[in-house]
């Protein structure tokens, strides 16, 4: 029986699927060295003002999210956070990094940081949005 669901991706069913895929990937790849990576920007009072969330596995850094609050944008924090994440990835023996961004987000930011466009997904949002896939050799 097939069922559709809007359950969170942490539901018991999702965990079963994820667990089986992780075990399969571990067997086929020779081992998984998955490690989360976070670089967080705090103000002097400890409030989170921005940061990067991602992970490393094998020789790869994947950037999941990078955000800076409006009060701290334009001050170089995004570049410093990205540089710090890339440095940590190199310390973990990563050789390549990837990220995706939408046409209303940060394509130029990543390109300025040395990321190259390798794929575009058009037609999202009834044709108003595009998603860009970028990579950088570390």
């Amino acid at each position: 029986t097939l069922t559709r669901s809007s359950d969170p991706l942490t539901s018991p069913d999702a965990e079963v699927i994820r667990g089986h895929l992780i075990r399969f990937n571990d067997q086929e790849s020779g081992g998984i060295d998955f490690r989360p990576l976070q670089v967080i920007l705090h103000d002097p009072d400890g409030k989170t003002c921005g940061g990067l969330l991602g992970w490393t596995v094998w020789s790869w850094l994947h950037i999941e999210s990078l955000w800076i609050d409006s009060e701290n944008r334009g001050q170089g924090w995004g570049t410093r956070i990205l540089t710090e994440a890339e440095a940590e990835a190199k310390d973990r023996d990563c050789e390549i990094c990837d990220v995706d961004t939408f046409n209303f987000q940060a394509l130029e930011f990543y390109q300025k940081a040395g990321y190259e466009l390798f794929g575009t997904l058009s037609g999202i949002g009834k044709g108003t949005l595009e998603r860009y896939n970028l990579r950088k050799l570390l």
Side-chain angles (χ1 to χ4, degrees):
T1 307
L2 293 176
T3 59
R4 295 181 184 184
S5 172
S6 295
D7 290 346
L9 296 178
T10 56
S11 72
D13 288 332
E15 292 301 323
V16 167
I17 293 165
R18 190 173 291 111
H20 283 286
L21 184 58
I22 288 169
R23 283 188 292 285
F24 173 81
N25 290 348
D26 190 39
Q27 279 180 313
E28 296 299 314
S29 68
I32 295 178
D33 59 348
F34 178 90
R35 291 171 60 191
L37 187 140
Q38 297 182 32
V39 179
I40 308 299
L41 173 64
H42 295 102
D43 72 9
D45 297 324
K47 176 185 164 202
T48 302
C49 300
L52 179 147
L53 306 176
W55 42 261
T56 61
V57 66
W58 303 305
S59 61
W60 164 35
L61 165 62
H62 172 71
I63 298 170
E64 178 183 309
S65 304
L66 174 57
W67 167 81
I68 308 294
D69 70 3
S70 58
E71 296 165 15
N72 288 287
R73 287 187 195 140
Q75 300 176 35
W77 287 114
T79 300
R80 283 183 251 175
I81 289 169
L82 184 59
T83 300
E84 187 69 24
E86 291 172 354
E88 176 62 24
K90 287 178 190 176
D91 288 346
R92 297 180 186 188
D93 294 324
C94 290
E95 299 172 351
I96 193 165
C97 178
D98 87 303
V99 65
D100 65 74
T101 190
F102 284 95
N103 57 323
F104 60 89
Q105 291 178 326
L107 177 62
E108 290 179 10
F109 167 79
Y110 289 111
Q111 288 177 319
K112 185 178 173 184
Y115 286 73
E116 99 176 271
L117 182 66
F118 72 88
T120 302
L121 180 62
S122 301
I124 303 169
K126 303 197 185 301
T128 63
L129 304 175
E130 289 187 317
R131 182 178 176 182
Y132 304 112
N133 295 286
L134 299 109
R135 69 177 161 223
K136 180 178 180 178
L137 295 177
L138 299 174

